[in-house]
Amino acid sequence: RKMIKKRIVITLIVLVVFLNACSKKDKFDVDVSGIDVNIELKRLDKDIFGMDPAVIDEQLPDLIEKYEQFFELYSYKVINLGNPYQKGFADSLVGFVTNYTMNSVYEKVKRVFPDMSLYEEEFTYAFKRYKYYFPEKQIPAVYTYIGGFNQSIVIADSILGIGTDKYLGQDCEFYDRLGIANYLQKNMNPENITSDALRAWALTEFVYNDKVDNLVNNMIYQGKIHYFLDAIVPQTPDSIKIGFTGDQVRWCINNEKQMWNYLIENKLLFSTDYMTINKHINPAPFTSGYPNDSPGRASVWLGWQIVRKYMNRNPEITIKQLMLDDDYQKILAKSRYEP
């Protein structure tokens, strides 16, 4: 009899795990086959460094015509060369593309990203899902560029630009030479591109309501952004979505209760102190107040779990309703979050 009971218990556990897995899959299992989205990455990085420096002044008008608004954004905001229509711009551009370091970077970019078909597939799938959940939203044109290690992602109206020189792999020799911290380098990998770009896109599409700017509101807002990634790139591991290692995600799972208790006991949840909020929300070697083996932004992970709990408890709420809802306190209350 004991053996039979044990078998029944094991069977029930397996069934519960299976049902949980199914419900998680089914929640984001939507048919996007009929949605007409096709993302082609426009490669300014290759086009600009592929030009013959001797005739850049002749080729420049064609480049401007091909890339239009993005080329202006790139010239002004990324490589800081100013107005591409101004006299002398071609000479400045020649200086940029013939720079020894920039040419070395371009050679590395060509090796790491010989073509972008994998990313085109990923972005096409993600933006089909985006269109499914937000049919009224515009799909951006997606570009790649070499920015001299400036911005990883640039966004403007219907424009999404990706700096390929910021995703050459965490062991890339340039990053050590530039003195980029290890905790930042660990996310400078090709596999981080899609989720980084989509997270940045979400931050501009669904802006933070800072009427009451406290820590828990920031946590829940960031949690919403990561839940958006759950819906848009459901096949991507949590570690990639939030920029943690697998061990760091496991650390958060194992210490969820302790982190939450620490915030409550130290009355930090409703803190409006700018420095306190930054220490919990922004990238860092570890999260201030938590043990040194915690990942930076561990409190963002907590916010993500609050939003997941809220959506699980309120299945009638759509992704669109969640992303447009700025009442963070309501989300916290209705999540009944208790790790």
Side-chain angles (χ1 to χ4, degrees):
R1 275 186 76 104
K2 275 187 182 174
M3 196 65 165
I4 293 167
K5 270 189 183 176
K6 193 174 179 185
R7 241 185 238 143
I8 290 168
V9 169
I10 290 169
T11 306
L12 283 171
I13 290 169
V14 169
L15 186 61
V16 166
V17 170
F18 175 73
L19 288 172
N20 281 343
C22 284
S23 66
K24 190 174 181 186
K25 176 184 179 292
D26 290 344
K27 188 188 304 178
F28 302 118
D29 190 13
V30 296
D31 181 13
V32 295
S33 57
I35 295 175
D36 184 21
V37 170
N38 184 38
I39 302 293
E40 180 192 345
L41 269 66
K42 299 171 176 66
R43 297 209 64 176
L44 180 60
D45 50 1
K46 275 194 166 181
D47 283 354
I48 205 168
F49 281 89
M51 290 192 296
D52 179 353
V55 289
I56 272 186
D57 56 341
E58 295 169 26
Q59 296 176 327
L60 188 57
D62 290 339
L63 195 70
I64 292 171
E65 187 181 349
K66 181 175 179 180
Y67 287 96
E68 297 178 316
Q69 190 189 346
F70 180 68
F71 192 77
E72 292 178 37
L73 180 70
Y74 175 72
S75 305
Y76 275 110
K77 302 289 186 186
V78 180
I79 55 173
N80 304 313
L81 293 185
N83 187 349
Y85 302 100
Q86 203 170 7
K87 193 180 176 189
F89 178 84
D91 292 338
S92 300
L93 193 59
V94 169
F96 179 68
V97 301
T98 56
N99 176 278
Y100 175 77
T101 302
M102 287 298 98
N103 265 280
S104 303
V105 171
Y106 175 53
E107 290 304 316
K108 180 86 172 176
V109 165
K110 281 198 295 186
R111 289 197 299 276
V112 177
F113 303 106
D115 78 271
M116 301 300 277
S117 54
L118 170 66
Y119 304 97
E120 288 176 339
E121 283 175 26
E122 287 184 358
F123 277 113
T124 295
Y125 177 68
F127 277 114
K128 279 187 173 193
R129 295 180 67 85
Y130 180 63
K131 198 72 177 171
Y132 174 89
Y133 290 117
F134 305 93
E136 76 291 349
K137 292 280 191 183
Q138 196 169 2
I139 303 298
V142 187
Y143 302 87
T144 61
Y145 62 85
I146 290 171
F149 305 105
N150 290 325
Q151 293 94 324
S152 302
I153 310 286
V154 294
I155 291 172
D157 185 33
S158 69
I159 284 174
L160 176 55
I162 299 157
T164 43
D165 52 339
K166 295 292 287 287
Y167 293 98
L168 294 172
Q170 63 191 82
D171 57 350
C172 177
E173 65 277 13
F174 298 116
Y175 302 154
D176 278 337
R177 272 190 247 159
L178 288 163
I180 296 172
N182 286 337
Y183 71 89
L184 296 173
Q185 284 191 41
K186 71 179 172 59
N187 288 315
M188 297 172 76
N189 301 302
E191 60 266 29
N192 292 93
I193 282 179
T194 307
S195 58
D196 273 14
L198 291 166
R199 189 190 311 119
W201 183 254
L203 287 166
T204 60
E205 289 291 292
F206 310 102
V207 294
Y208 177 62
N209 174 13
D210 59 358
K211 281 181 191 164
V212 182
D213 193 19
N214 60 33
L215 177 57
V216 75
N217 282 8
N218 276 274
M219 286 165 57
I220 291 168
Y221 169 72
Q222 290 287 339
K224 280 173 45 174
I225 296 297
H226 287 83
Y227 193 86
F228 170 87
L229 293 178
D230 285 342
I232 301 300
V233 283
Q235 75 286 6
T236 301
D238 284 2
S239 55
I240 297 287
K241 287 179 203 159
I242 197 167
F244 289 177
T245 63
D247 284 343
Q248 287 175 329
V249 171
R250 281 186 286 277
W251 187 95
C252 288
I253 292 166
N254 293 334
N255 292 275
E256 184 176 2
K257 191 179 182 69
Q258 292 91 318
M259 288 191 287
W260 185 246
N261 287 344
Y262 171 83
L263 296 176
I264 291 169
E265 286 162 12
N266 289 276
K267 298 183 171 59
L268 292 175
L269 284 176
F270 300 101
S271 171
T272 55
D273 178 61
Y274 176 76
M275 291 297 289
T276 299
I277 294 169
N278 275 358
K279 284 175 182 175
H280 283 266
I281 298 302
N282 290 341
F286 61 93
T287 301
S288 178
Y290 301 159
N292 285 6
D293 53 350
S294 66
R297 303 175 72 246
S299 296
V300 168
W301 184 87
L302 279 180
W304 192 7
Q305 308 321 304
I306 292 169
V307 174
R308 281 174 164 175
K309 193 69 68 78
Y310 169 73
M311 292 300 280
N312 286 341
R313 288 193 186 281
N314 301 277
E316 74 285 358
I317 304 287
T318 65
I319 303 288
K320 184 175 179 179
Q321 287 170 329
L322 170 72
M323 297 312 294
L324 298 177
D325 188 352
D326 289 338
D327 192 343
Y328 310 118
Q329 291 304 306
K330 181 194 80 181
I331 291 170
L332 176 61
K334 287 198 166 184
S335 73
R336 304 206 300 278
Y337 179 70
E338 200 178 314

